[in-house]
Amino acid sequence: MCIRDRFSGRKIRVTVRARPADDKGAMELQVNYSAGRVGESGWQKFALQPGFTDFAFEYDVPVATGEQGVDYLAVRPVVPEKERGVLIERITIDRLP
């Protein structure tokens, strides 16, 4: 079963365990779950902490349409000076009841 089929029409919880990089670490992190043309969670913003911390949000994934499997998860540091980094220890996506 592909990821698209596993999460289509379901509520999910996305958890990213992250911290600022040692050199020029970002202060914030953004995460977005995209189900392609049918919708996306929008960028979820989290304030990073000095140590690894779990950041999570829930999203109702729209029902997939057509044959195209385009679900993806995007993670990025907030980089006002374009020189910031983030370390990611783990990413999990859980289906919720």
Side-chain angles (χ1 to χ4, degrees), residues 20-91:
D22 293 330
D23 184 38
K24 296 184 179 181
M27 300 302 294
E28 294 178 313
L29 171 76
Q30 292 180 327
V31 184
N32 181 31
Y33 184 97
S34 175
R37 293 183 184 134
V38 294
E40 62 181 46
S41 66
W43 288 103
Q44 307 297 308
K45 188 184 286 188
F46 304 98
L48 292 169
Q49 308 298 317
F52 280 108
T53 305
D54 287 340
F55 302 98
F57 68 95
E58 294 180 2
Y59 175 56
D60 291 312
V61 179
V63 174
T65 59
E67 296 296 318
Q68 189 174 10
V70 294
D71 288 26
Y72 67 88
L73 184 72
V75 180
R76 67 184 183 191
V78 175
V79 289
E81 299 89 21
K82 308 247 186 251
E83 298 179 359
R84 299 290 177 197
V86 62
L87 297 175
I88 298 171
E89 185 177 70
R90 178 177 58 242
I91 296 173

